[in-house]
Structure formats: structure tokens, C-alpha cells
Amino acid sequence: MTIYQTPAEPGKIRPYAPLDPQALHGLAQHAMDVLMPAAIGPEREPLGEAGAQLAIALSAFARLVEANADDQLADGEDVVERLRRASLHVHEHMAAAVPSQDLDSRNVDVIESCLEEGLPVIGSMTAVLLLAGGQTATVRLTKETAHQEVELTDGRTARLPAADHLIVRDGLHELARLLAPLTREAGTGGEQRG
């Protein structure tokens, strides 16, 4: 295992310094040494997988800092993809470790607390999925089920698996956050439309 050296002093705020590529590569190597073993072998668990993806993301971030203009997009996308994968594994862990009734109440609480704080929430969302062969499928999510149940075109309802719902929940909150300023700019008075 490598030993990672840092000039940081506990409790002391350091002055601004630009990112140091050499230090980033050292940090990435240290993360690889510490986190990757948990993602090797048959007994891998979601948090071990998440840690491995974080280590790979740090390596990709170190490359991004030094990337030339032609490589910025690909290297940046690599960082984002690795962080997305780490996030998926953390959601998978939470879905397995937290009782479903706690997840359900948390989902409702998140919506209610956002509204109480004046933060936007997606009331409902209808999406048209483009499928292979020119086919489409329409799905709808609503606040009434805390976006946990999907209404399908043929009238059926399907409940999202817990890990998938956590991903959808986070995505919908992010979408609401991004779209809300546009409604204010458009002069709608911040009204939320379903």
C-alpha cells in the first residue's frame, strides 16, 4: 500500500492553491490501493463497488486536470460516468440495507420538506420512451405515489424497485431544480405545472 502524504494541518484552513496534477495522481493511486481490493473477488458488495468507482473517478479526474482541449469532453464524461456508477452502487446499498417502510416514508418526507422550504418538486411527469424498431411507450410518474409507481400506456401500474426509485427520485429533484429558474424567467410566476 502506498502512503499518501499531505501538507494539510487538522483544523487549519489552507489558502487557495490550484489543483496539483502530481498530487492528484498520488491521491488517485492511494484511493486505488485502499478502495479497489473491496471490489475484487466473488464477495463484492455494493459499497465496495462504489468505492472502486470512486477510485477510478479520481484517476479520471487527475487525467482531466491535465487534458488538452481535444480530450476535455471525453475525460470529463469519464469522470461523470464513474461518479454515476458509484452513485448507482450506493443506491443499491441503501435499497438493500434500509427497510422499505423507512424508504417509503423518506420519499414522502423529501417531497413535503422540499415544498415547505419553497423548493420545486415535479408534480407529475409523462415520458415517451423511444424503443427499437420505431416503437414507443408512454410512462407517467406522479407526486401522489411519491414517484414510486409507474403508470403504463395500457393502464397497468408497476412499482419501481427500491434502488431504481432512489435513482428516479434524485433525478426528478435535480430536474425540478434545473427547470424552476426557467419558469421564473419565462414570467410564469413560478407556477409548477404537472
Side-chain angles (χ1 to χ4, degrees):
M1 177 182 286
T2 58
I3 300 205
Y4 178 69
Q5 301 287 334
T6 175
E9 297 177 38
K12 184 176 180 184
I13 297 175
R14 296 180 59 199
Y16 166 80
L19 291 171
D20 178 348
Q22 184 177 354
L24 279 173
H25 284 290
L27 177 62
Q29 183 59 54
H30 185 65
M32 288 284 192
D33 292 342
V34 171
L35 298 172
M36 288 304 284
I40 298 171
E43 296 184 23
R44 293 177 292 199
E45 295 185 355
L47 287 184
E49 296 281 357
Q53 292 300 323
L54 289 172
I56 297 169
L58 274 173
S59 293
F61 184 70
R63 286 192 306 277
L64 175 62
V65 168
E66 296 183 295
N68 61 39
D70 292 339
D71 295 329
Q72 289 287 322
L73 180 60
D75 287 346
E77 286 177 338
D78 192 22
V79 173
V80 171
E81 174 60 17
R82 294 303 177 165
L83 292 173
R84 184 190 70 78
R85 289 183 189 185
S87 172
L88 294 177
H89 290 301
V90 171
H91 284 120
E92 183 183 352
H93 167 76
M94 291 189 307
V98 179
S100 61
Q101 64 270 20
D102 292 350
L103 284 176
D104 290 351
S105 62
R106 173 70 174 152
N107 295 331
V108 172
D109 290 347
V110 167
I111 290 173
E112 294 306 320
S113 65
C114 283
L115 292 172
E116 287 172 9
E117 293 175 31
L119 300 173
V121 172
I122 300 280
S124 67
M125 187 185 84
T126 302
V128 177
L129 305 179
L130 304 178
L131 307 173
Q135 301 293 314
T136 63
T138 303
V139 298
R140 185 168 184 264
L141 298 162
T142 67
K143 180 177 80 67
E144 286 67 37
T145 65
H147 309 109
Q148 291 173 291
E149 293 182 358
V150 180
E151 298 171 9
L152 305 170
T153 310
D154 59 9
R156 290 180 299 129
T157 300
R159 188 170 175 89
L160 286 166
D164 293 343
H165 176 256
L166 291 170
I167 295 164
V168 168
R169 182 192 74 184
D170 291 351
L172 288 176
H173 285 297
E174 185 68 8
L175 185 61
R177 185 189 69 77
L178 294 172
L179 294 178
L182 299 176
T183 65
R184 287 189 289 275
E185 291 170 11
T188 63
E191 294 175 354
Q192 301 300 311
R193 298 179 184 265

